[in-house]
Amino acid sequence: MGNQFVAVDIGQTAIRAVEARVARGKAPEIRAVHEEALPDGAVRSGEVVEPTTVASALKKMWSAAKFKSRDVVLGMGDQKVVARDLVMPKASRKEVIGLLPLRVQELIPMPVAEAVLDFYPIAETAPTDEGPMVRGLLIAAYNDAVTNNVQAIRRAGLNTLAVDFVPFALHRSIGNKGQGVCAVVDIGAATTNVLVSRDGIPDFVRIIPAGSDDVTRALANQLEIPRDQAEELKIAQGLHPEIVPPNDAKSAGIIVEVTRELMTSIINTLRYYSSTHDGVRVDSLVLTGNGARLRGLPATLAHSTGISLVAPEPFADVKMPKSLTGLGVSDALRFSTAFGLTMGGAA
Ligand SMILES: Nc1ncnc2c1ncn2[C@@H]1O[C@H](COP(=O)(O)OP(=O)(O)OP(=O)(O)O)[C@@H](O)[C@H]1O
Ligand SMILES: [Mg+2]
């Protein structure tokens, strides 16, 4: 027995999908892996804005990858989801979910009536006059965004089995499952997802509304060049313009400045985590997302935080067919979310 489904991660620049067969208590058995690039403007900050474009990319993907299942586990993330720390009474999952709309309005930017709410318990905490309490993470997604993404799936003739939260997927595929405090940071085009786990349990989530596309946009705007050229310049130079002739001081300055802002947000987020969690130090950092490929970024981040980098290994905990053994380092950066979506037991 087992369920077969396709895990789908809809990003701003591409859709990544992994077909898996999952049986309770066993590692997911991967069947096929595929990426389909999206044109600019089809998806923004985690929300599908051009459903027809996304649906046709999905159809193309299904035929190119020869996916057999039409059932989808959809990842929701980016800026259409917020995560907050929350303490709730210790009760059944059903009771806690039922209480959420009454308690969380002041924590989230959208009206509760327009949100899909979920609670991820972490640990029991000091009792109050309500009795035993549990500390955890509140996850709230904009209803509209979930609906739009699910509609794009439906338009492609596919069926959404479950919706899962991208940072948890990242944790399952590449977070530290053992001892210690580990931060997973996924640098995408528009968004940077941060998840910190302690002794293998997610402890903290932040979604930073900035990503690698900010660098491309700054280059295109300030140098008045087309996006494609800005993208090439960014990829070629990174934070090491001196090794790439022609040495353009202006573009180098822009790349360094915008990347530094992003890195400062990441560093401040990790500091905030420590200061609100008994001063614990993050002892390992796993970077994913294509934004983490910027030349010099991983080393600079490791140097400024003093945290050691660990390479993502999303393929370690799944069964892979021989045909996919060639997946390498850059595939690990791109597919970590989709692999993690196969591990949720959501289907
Ligand atoms: N070799 C590279 N060096 C530097 N940056 C790169 C490289 N390859 C891709 N990028 C950048 O990575 C970003 C895309 O990252 P990724 O594919 O992880 O995002 P996404 O999943 O599509 O978007 P999001 O997660 O924000 O919705 C783009 O801004 C792109 O310019
Ligand atoms: Mg992404």
Side-chain angles (χ1 to χ4, degrees):
M1 272 298 287
N3 282 319
Q4 190 157 324
F5 61 89
V6 181
V8 174
D9 167 30
I10 303 179
Q12 184 155 299
T13 66
I15 308 176
R16 283 113 195 176
V18 175
E19 181 164 56
R21 198 177 161 77
V22 177
R24 194 177 289 275
K26 290 204 177 137
E29 208 178 295
I30 304 303
R31 291 292 173 88
V33 171
H34 197 78
E35 175 179 75
E36 190 68 42
L38 287 172
D40 235 14
V43 171
R44 213 161 265 139
S45 307
E47 182 172 11
V48 171
V49 283
E50 290 175 9
T52 328
T53 312
V54 173
S56 68
L58 285 163
K59 282 183 187 160
K60 228 169 120 186
M61 186 164 214
W62 249 252
S63 75
K66 301 196 169 62
F67 290 146
K68 291 197 180 66
S69 171
R70 305 197 73 76
D71 289 330
V72 165
V73 170
L74 176 65
M76 278 306 292
D78 286 7
Q79 293 151 48
K80 294 300 167 178
V81 179
V82 293
R84 296 285 183 266
D85 304 321
L86 179 67
V87 173
M88 290 294 284
K90 189 176 175 193
S92 73
R93 178 170 162 75
K94 205 171 155 209
E95 283 173 299
V96 171
I97 301 288
L99 278 176
L100 288 177
L102 310 172
R103 301 203 169 205
V104 302
Q105 184 57 78
E106 67 282 9
L107 294 175
I108 58 175
M110 68 287 253
V112 281
E114 291 168 28
V116 181
L117 300 171
D118 200 357
F119 181 70
Y120 181 92
I122 296 172
E124 201 162 327
T125 182
T128 67
D129 50 9
E130 287 192 290
M133 302 299 280
V134 175
R135 174 174 73 85
L137 292 169
L138 164 72
I139 310 297
Y142 282 88
N143 224 335
D144 282 1
V146 178
T147 309
N148 285 347
N149 291 17
V150 168
Q151 260 168 13
I153 301 283
R154 191 180 313 137
R155 239 178 231 245
L158 307 168
N159 162 49
T160 303
L161 276 186
V163 176
D164 199 355
F165 184 47
V166 164
F168 291 158
L170 282 166
H171 167 71
R172 288 192 299 263
S173 68
I174 54 171
N176 186 354
K177 283 144 198 113
Q179 298 274 300
V181 181
C182 167
V184 173
V185 177
D186 179 276
I187 307 176
T191 310
T192 298
N193 284 288
V194 178
L195 182 138
V196 182
S197 61
R198 195 176 343 185
D199 297 336
I201 298 167
D203 203 21
F204 173 85
V205 174
R206 273 298 173 275
I207 294 160
I208 302 172
S212 185
D213 193 51
D214 298 342
V215 181
T216 309
R217 254 186 304 118
L219 284 170
N221 291 341
Q222 293 179 39
L223 301 178
E224 298 179 357
I225 55 173
R227 270 191 64 91
D228 290 359
Q229 202 181 326
E231 184 78 10
E232 271 172 34
L233 209 53
K234 174 180 86 174
I235 291 174
Q237 296 192 340
L239 299 177
H240 294 296
E242 68 285 355
I243 58 174
V244 184
N247 195 338
D248 180 336
K250 195 161 178 209
S251 63
I254 297 168
I255 299 171
V256 168
E257 189 194 317
V258 182
T259 307
R260 191 176 288 148
E261 278 172 32
L262 175 62
M263 290 194 296
T264 303
S265 304
I266 296 170
I267 293 165
N268 287 343
T269 301
L270 298 180
R271 284 210 182 112
Y272 175 80
Y273 168 76
S274 293
S275 70
T276 52
H277 292 74
D278 319 322
V280 289
R281 266 189 58 78
V282 174
D283 32 51
S284 60
L285 178 62
V286 188
L287 292 177
T288 59
N290 277 322
R293 295 172 70 183
L294 191 81
R295 280 166 185 266
L297 183 148
T300 310
L301 208 50
H303 182 76
S304 5
T305 55
I307 306 173
S308 45
L309 288 179
V310 175
E313 289 185 354
F315 314 130
D317 295 332
V318 294
K319 253 174 92 180
M320 293 279 259
K322 278 214 177 69
S323 59
L324 292 176
T325 47
L327 290 178
V329 178
S330 74
D331 301 299
L333 296 179
R334 293 181 296 150
F335 284 105
S336 290
T337 299
F339 271 79
L341 290 171
T342 71
M343 299 173 191

